[in-house]
Amino acid sequence: MEWKISIIQGQPVWDALPVGKIIYYPMEKRDYRPFAQARLCVNKTHFFLRLWAFETHPSDQSVLMARLNFDPERSGKFLELTADSRGGLDCTVRDGADKTPLAAYGVLPQMHSYWGEDLEGEYWGVMISLPRDAIRAVYGEDPIRPGYVMRGNLYKQDNAQATRHLGSLFPIDLEREDPFGPASFQPMEFVPY
């Protein structure tokens, strides 16, 4: 299953972008599977990611996470962007067992967190704006162009005892080693609309 990421001009018009639904909760035996969504796009200077989850009372351990390898043909490194329900953001570059804070590369994303309510219920979310200079710093170049395919997956996770769950945008194979790591990454193609 390949997902399309829009190459845009200017700032994102979020309602015009495709929506990905985080609906795969392979280990969940209860009915508690928070509905979460994502939208991604890129312009000349930034990679944008908008994530939100429908949870009435998210725990302090409720997070939305993106794991993205922007250069899967040449590197096993991936960016892990984890936003919590209280407005915190953790940015890490993972390379096998090694974890390096993105700050060590000298470029950090901006984040805007939000909360609200609509006809579907109460939600919380984040909009992350990652400078493409961060991609250059981590991978040595910025390979994003029309038709280019990166790999990744998006997750909704909560480690609190009462609300524990782990869901993903793309299905995962629990038989694989580190099923929520690179083994679960799927193609994401950049397309101009």
Side-chain angles (χ1 to χ4, degrees):
M1 172 194 314
E2 191 170 285
W3 195 33
K4 310 288 187 201
I5 300 174
S6 299
I7 298 173
I8 64 167
Q9 302 295 319
Q11 295 300 306
V13 178
W14 292 112
D15 290 340
L17 297 172
V19 177
K21 298 176 184 175
I22 297 174
I23 58 172
Y24 298 102
Y25 288 86
M27 298 182 295
E28 185 59 50
K29 294 178 177 34
R30 302 168 299 158
D31 286 336
Y32 191 69
R33 296 178 176 108
F35 182 58
Q37 297 178 320
R39 288 185 167 139
L40 284 72
C41 64
V42 65
N43 67 15
K44 288 183 180 182
T45 60
H46 288 83
F47 178 84
F48 298 96
L49 172 63
R50 183 178 176 199
L51 299 165
W52 68 106
F54 287 86
E55 289 183 289
T56 304
H57 300 288
S59 81
D60 290 344
Q61 297 178 50
S62 183
V63 299
L64 291 161
M65 178 174 31
R67 289 181 168 178
L68 306 168
N69 183 339
F70 286 90
D71 197 355
E73 296 298 318
R74 297 184 322 122
S75 178
K77 291 180 185 178
F78 62 90
L79 271 67
E80 182 176 275
L81 306 170
T82 306
D84 66 43
S85 61
R86 301 298 179 240
L89 178 64
D90 183 45
C91 306
T92 306
V93 177
R94 308 245 335 239
D95 190 4
D98 296 334
K99 296 180 183 180
T100 306
L102 184 58
Y105 290 88
V107 185
L108 286 174
Q110 294 180 346
M111 184 189 84
H112 170 73
S113 56
Y114 56 91
W115 297 265
E117 183 175 359
D118 64 14
L119 295 175
E120 294 184 36
E122 294 181 34
Y123 58 84
W124 66 274
V126 295
M127 195 284 289
I128 299 169
S129 175
L130 177 70
R132 289 178 66 172
D133 287 342
I135 298 166
R136 283 184 204 84
V138 171
Y139 295 99
E141 68 174 303
D142 177 357
I144 297 173
R145 64 190 177 285
Y148 182 73
V149 178
M150 68 176 212
R151 295 182 67 80
N153 206 341
L154 307 173
Y155 306 93
K156 169 65 184 79
Q157 181 177 5
D158 189 341
N159 288 324
Q161 187 65 33
T163 53
R164 185 180 310 269
H165 59 264
L166 182 54
S168 59
L169 173 68
F170 298 118
I172 62 146
D173 181 356
L174 293 173
E175 301 295 318
R176 305 282 304 265
E177 183 178 337
D178 188 16
F180 289 94
S184 77
F185 292 2
Q186 295 296 317
M188 299 174 154
E189 181 182 0
F190 291 93
V191 295
Y193 283 113

